[in-house]
């Protein structure tokens, strides 16, 4: 009872006009039932005129700013019902107009349940252990280590944290305990818990399993994966899609048509009541609420699938996209190439060449650098520190190692110091790293990176969703790019591109809008330049994530097609809800024009129209699950995020 009383008081404080209108309506009905129709009419009329005055002030301000909203129609309807003595209808219109805000809040709350869940689950507290805490899963014998509870924002890199059972990991870290299981469904959309072992990375925002574990922080909260997602979600929730602004632009024609129907009905019948009866059915709620609710529902559904869409405008662009462009390494492929062979020139051994390459590549952020370092470690080769090192973006690394100038990177980078560097014959899926030592071509490393097994199916699904052209944009060699493109079904290949070349290539594409999918630092410019930039991978580049319009948290290329599928349904639902509201209102207005719907009944009927359009807009939260077209599989909505609304 106490909880219900608190909820009621909160509702009254939040929506005071709704509460006061309900009280006035109850009083008017009591007076009317007692035979005091005169006082009832005066109370209802004066109250309605007060609401008209308040609404009118805001309406005039909007008109001065050049915004002609649908509240004009509502104000005229209230004045008309008061003028003809339909005071009960006037109160219902006031209740409908003021209740629209509450209805929108409720519908929007339903629509953005997964977005709110991500925000609400952001960890606030971290359990910090002493600096000399044992790195295993159990404390040292003879000593009790009590964790210190601190705000998550105060965690520093390198500190040891205790994660209790079922707790959310506050920052990115490395697992110190022997093994653990984490629920990453709120990040990736995958419902199956992920097993981690000591030394593996743990993402902030994931939920610990049934055993307490320890991690070492590798980032602060501000730099952690979950907080970056939270920032994206806040931006998404605050955005407005062009289709929402389009709904606003329906205001003038809808208002004019409504006034025209009402005016003709008055003129033909000679009864001013007919004018009011038509206008009570021309209320703005379907246009004002339906589109925003639908787009919020689409963004929420995307979040449920591990896709953070920054705004409704992105959903609209995705729904109408005609071209999809992809980076190769780490996007169409796994981005974890393995060393196949070392081709050393005379005067160099294979191990010497690989050791020099690894020593230089330790100063590079390129994905191939990690593969070279892993190959050297596997062979037990030492990695030497460099006296100086410089990474040349999109080309390679130049480092001074043991007095030798070592260059590692693309062929053209080596040809700058030794034009005799020859090309290497590659098999499908292979790539090459060239080396020079003291200005002399020293050899090459052959690595192989395979296409993702679901890449071809994703491209096929995109084509079925309306993509007419697929393009690969990569800085890798032409032969490697062609082999991967053939494997996944891409016919248009642009290879050996610099970042600015990728931007120019996207600008030159004729079929718009263009989707660009990438994951690395070098992809940030082209992601920003595309109509819709999609950054892929939970551990992808911060720069790429910030410049993209959507971020796929899971390292799963199939989510690109899922994002487009959701966007197309969202746009259909949003536009369908707008036209449903318009169509129902117009039909009812025409019926009322002939005198078949009294003003009070019309006002109540319009509430049902509002409800129908809002419920239709909420369909954007879910996929089609009940019916299946012949020859096509049914779309099944995924399970909600644990803890979401």
């Amino acid at each position: 009872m106490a909880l219900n009383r608190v909820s009621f008081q909160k509702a009254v404080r939040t929506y005071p006009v709704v509460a006061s209108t309900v009280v006035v309506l109850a009083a008017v009905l009591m007076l009317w039932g007692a035979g005091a129709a005169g006082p009832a009419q005066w109370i209802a009329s004066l109250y309605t005129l007060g609401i008209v005055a308040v609404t009118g002030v805001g309406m005039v301000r909007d008109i001065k700013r050049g915004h002609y909203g649908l509240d004009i129609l509502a104000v005229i309807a209230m004045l008309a019902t008061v003028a003809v003595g339909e005071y009960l209808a006037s109160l219902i219109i006031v209740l409908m107009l003021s209740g629209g805000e509450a209805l929108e809040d409720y519908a929007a709350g339903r629509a953005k349940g997964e977005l709110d869940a991500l925000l609400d689950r952001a960890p606030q507290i971290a359990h910090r252990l002493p600096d000399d805490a044992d790195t295993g899963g159990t404390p040292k014998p003879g000593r009790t280590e009590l964790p210190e509870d601190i705000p998550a924002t105060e965690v520093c890199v390198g500190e040891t944290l205790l994660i209790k059972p079922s707790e959310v990991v506050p920052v990115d870290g490395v697992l110190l305990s022997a093994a653990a299981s984490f629920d990453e469904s709120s990040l990736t959309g995958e419902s199956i818990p992920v097993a981690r072992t000591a030394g593996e990375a743990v993402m902030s925002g994931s939920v610990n399993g049934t055993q307490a574990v320890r991690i070492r922080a590798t980032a602060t909260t501000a730099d952690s994966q979950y907080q970056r997602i939270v920032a994206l979600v806040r931006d998404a929730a605050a955005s407005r899609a062009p289709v929402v602004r389009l709904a606003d632009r329906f205001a003038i024609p809808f208002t004019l048509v409504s006034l025209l129907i009402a005016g003709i009905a008055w003129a033909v019948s000679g009864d001013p009541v007919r004018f009011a009866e038509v206008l009570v059915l021309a209320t703005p709620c379907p246009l004002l609420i339906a589109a925003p609710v639908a787009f919020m529902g689409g963004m929420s559904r995307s979040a449920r699938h591990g896709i953070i869409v920054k705004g409704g405008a992105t959903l609209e662009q995705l729904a109408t996209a005609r071209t999809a462009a992809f980076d190769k390494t780490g996007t169409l492929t796994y981005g974890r190439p393995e060393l196949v062979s070392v081709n050393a020139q005379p005067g160099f051994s294979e191990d010497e060449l690989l050791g020099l390459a690894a020593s230089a590549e330790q100063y590079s952020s390129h994905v191939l650098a990690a593969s070279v370092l892993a190959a050297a470690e596997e062979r037990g080769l030492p990695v030497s520190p460099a006296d100086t090192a410089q990474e040349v973006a999109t080309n390679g690394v130049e480092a001074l190692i043991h007095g030798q100038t070592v260059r590692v990177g693309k062929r053209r980078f080596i040809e700058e110091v030794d034009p005799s560097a020859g090309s290497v014959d590659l098999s499908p899926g292979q790539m090459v790293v060239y080396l020079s030592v003291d200005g002399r071509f020293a050899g090459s490393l052959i690595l192989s990176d395979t296409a993702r097994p679901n890449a071809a199916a994703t491209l096929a699904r995109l084509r079925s969703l309306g993509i007419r052209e697929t393009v690969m944009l990569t800085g890798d060699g032409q032969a490697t790019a062609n082999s991967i493109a053939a494997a996944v079904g891409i016919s248009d290949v642009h290879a050996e591109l610099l970042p600015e070349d990728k931007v120019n290539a996207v600008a030159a594409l004729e079929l718009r809008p263009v989707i660009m999918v990438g994951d690395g630092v070098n992809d940030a410019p082209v992601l920003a330049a595309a109509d819709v930039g999609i950054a892929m991978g939970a551990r992808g580049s911060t720069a790429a994530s910030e410049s993209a319009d959507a971020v796929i948290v899971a390292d799963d290329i199939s989510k690109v097609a899922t994002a487009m599928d959701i966007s197309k349904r969202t746009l259909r639902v949003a536009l369908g809800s707008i036209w449903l509201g318009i169509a129902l209102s117009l039909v009812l207005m025409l019926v009322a024009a002939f005198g078949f719907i009294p003003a009070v009944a019309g006002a109540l009927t319009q509430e049902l129209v509002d409800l129908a359009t809002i419920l239709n807009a909420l369909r954007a939260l879910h996929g089609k699950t009940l019916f299946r077209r012949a020859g096509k599989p049914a779309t099944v909505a995924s399970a909600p995020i644990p803890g979401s609304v």
Side-chain angles (χ1 to χ4, degrees):
M1 290 294 292
L3 181 60
N4 292 335
R5 185 165 56 251
V6 171
S7 300
F8 176 76
Q9 292 173 349
K10 181 180 179 181
V12 170
R13 289 194 301 268
T14 305
Y15 308 107
V17 178
V18 176
S20 61
T21 303
V22 170
V23 171
V24 171
L25 181 59
V28 167
L29 288 173
M30 290 176 63
L31 289 171
W32 179 76
Q41 181 172 354
W42 275 104
I43 292 174
S45 299
L46 289 174
Y47 180 80
T48 301
L49 291 175
I51 296 297
V52 167
V54 174
T55 306
V57 171
M59 182 182 68
V60 171
R61 290 174 181 169
D62 287 341
I63 292 175
K64 288 182 177 180
R65 291 195 295 264
H67 178 70
Y68 298 88
L70 289 160
D71 48 3
I72 297 175
L73 201 56
V75 167
I76 295 175
M78 286 187 285
L79 289 174
T81 50
V82 169
V84 300
E86 294 285 354
Y87 56 93
L88 287 177
S90 68
L91 284 179
I92 294 174
I93 295 174
V94 172
L95 183 62
M96 178 175 53
L97 189 65
S98 59
E101 180 185 356
L103 183 61
E104 182 176 10
D105 289 346
Y106 169 76
R110 283 285 311 277
K112 62 177 183 176
E114 276 72 26
L115 298 179
D116 286 342
L118 285 170
L119 296 175
D120 294 341
R121 291 175 65 256
Q124 305 296 321
I125 299 295
H127 311 299
R128 182 170 60 191
L129 291 168
D131 292 339
D132 61 344
D134 180 37
T135 59
T138 57
K140 292 181 179 179
R143 188 180 69 188
T144 302
E145 297 169 348
L146 297 177
E148 175 189 5
D149 287 351
I150 61 171
T153 53
E154 294 183 7
V155 174
C156 297
V157 175
E159 291 184 330
T160 302
L161 304 178
L162 176 68
I163 312 297
K164 297 179 180 179
S166 301
E167 276 192 339
V168 178
V169 178
V171 296
D172 292 347
V174 173
L175 184 64
L176 299 179
S177 300
S181 176
F182 295 93
D183 178 2
E184 298 180 354
S185 59
S186 61
L187 297 169
T188 65
E190 299 297 334
S191 58
I192 300 175
V194 178
R196 302 289 182 201
T197 57
E200 290 189 327
V202 177
M203 283 193 294
S204 60
S206 56
V207 181
N208 186 25
T210 58
Q211 301 293 325
V213 297
R214 302 181 183 205
I215 67 168
R216 174 160 289 121
T218 57
T220 62
T221 53
D223 296 328
S224 290
Q225 179 68 29
Y226 193 71
Q227 291 301 324
R228 292 201 295 268
I229 293 174
V230 166
L232 295 176
V233 168
R234 288 198 180 103
D235 292 342
S239 69
R240 298 186 76 203
V243 75
V244 178
R245 294 192 293 271
L246 179 64
D248 293 340
R249 292 199 294 271
F250 273 98
I252 294 178
F254 186 71
T255 298
L256 293 177
V257 170
S258 301
L259 291 174
L260 180 62
I261 295 174
I264 292 175
W266 183 0
V268 172
S269 66
D271 185 1
V273 174
R274 196 69 56 83
F275 180 83
E277 289 175 345
V278 171
L279 287 188
V280 296
L281 288 159
T283 53
C285 286
L287 296 183
L288 291 175
I289 303 175
V293 166
F295 274 87
M296 190 62 71
M299 289 189 290
S300 188
R301 186 182 174 207
S302 297
R304 188 190 310 158
H305 286 268
I307 307 162
I308 307 301
V309 179
K310 292 186 180 180
T314 299
L315 285 175
E316 187 171 2
Q317 291 276 67
L318 269 172
T320 57
R322 291 295 175 266
T323 301
F326 295 86
D327 177 47
K328 182 185 75 66
T329 305
T331 304
L332 293 172
T333 68
Y334 281 112
R336 296 187 293 271
E338 295 182 354
L339 182 66
V340 175
S341 64
V342 180
N343 302 322
Q345 292 293 302
F348 297 94
S349 68
E350 290 188 5
D351 285 353
E352 180 184 7
L353 196 67
L354 180 57
L356 287 172
S359 298
E361 289 281 42
Q362 67 181 311
Y363 301 100
S364 172
S365 59
H366 195 276
V367 64
L368 293 182
S371 299
V372 173
L373 285 165
E377 182 181 0
E378 185 176 345
R379 294 195 183 189
L381 302 177
V383 176
S384 304
D387 297 324
T388 61
Q390 177 186 9
E391 183 173 19
V392 181
T394 75
N395 280 290
V397 178
E398 182 176 279
L400 183 63
I401 301 171
H402 299 317
Q404 296 176 302
T405 301
V406 178
R407 277 196 172 200
V408 184
K410 293 182 178 178
R411 178 183 171 187
R412 65 187 175 201
F413 187 49
I414 305 304
E415 287 179 334
E416 291 177 2
V417 295
D418 186 354
S420 67
S423 62
V424 177
D425 293 331
L426 299 174
S427 300
Q430 291 184 342
M431 59 197 71
V432 60
V433 175
Y434 294 87
L435 285 89
S436 70
V437 178
D438 289 334
R440 172 182 162 220
F441 177 53
S444 59
L445 308 178
I446 308 298
L447 300 100
S448 178
D449 189 16
T450 58
R452 295 174 184 266
N454 61 346
T458 299
L459 269 293
R461 187 179 172 200
L462 285 172
R463 283 188 284 270
S464 71
L465 290 169
I467 293 296
R468 295 172 55 189
E469 183 177 1
T470 54
V471 183
M472 178 191 291
L473 305 176
T474 179
D476 289 340
Q478 190 71 50
T480 302
N482 287 339
S483 66
I484 295 297
V488 301
I490 291 180
S491 57
D492 191 0
V493 179
H494 300 264
E496 301 180 8
L497 300 180
L498 297 173
E500 56 267 30
D501 297 329
K502 291 184 179 181
V503 172
N504 294 333
V506 165
L509 294 171
E510 295 181 357
L511 292 177
R512 320 292 298 196
V514 174
I515 301 170
M516 176 66 201
V517 186
D519 73 328
V521 174
N522 294 335
D523 295 326
V526 70
L527 290 177
D531 297 310
V532 179
I534 300 179
M536 217 183 75
R539 298 168 181 83
S541 158
T542 301
S545 298
E546 290 177 351
S547 61
D549 300 295
V551 178
I552 296 175
V553 181
D555 189 22
D556 182 358
I557 194 173
S558 70
K559 300 286 186 179
V560 176
T562 300
M564 188 171 181
D565 191 8
I566 291 172
S567 68
K568 292 181 81 69
R569 174 170 171 78
T570 299
L571 184 61
R572 286 197 304 270
V573 170
L575 292 175
S577 298
I578 290 174
W579 285 112
L580 174 65
I582 290 176
L584 290 175
S585 294
L586 288 175
V587 169
L588 290 170
M589 281 190 286
L590 290 173
V591 174
F594 289 95
F596 294 116
I597 305 179
V600 173
L604 293 173
T605 301
Q606 185 58 36
E607 289 283 10
L608 298 178
V609 174
D610 296 347
L611 183 61
T613 54
I614 299 306
L615 291 176
N616 187 71
L618 284 172
R619 289 170 50 235
L621 272 171
H622 307 288
K624 297 177 182 177
T625 58
L626 297 179
F627 303 102
R628 127 182 4 211
R629 295 181 182 177
K632 292 186 178 181
T635 302
V636 181
S638 67
I641 297 173
S644 66
V645 178

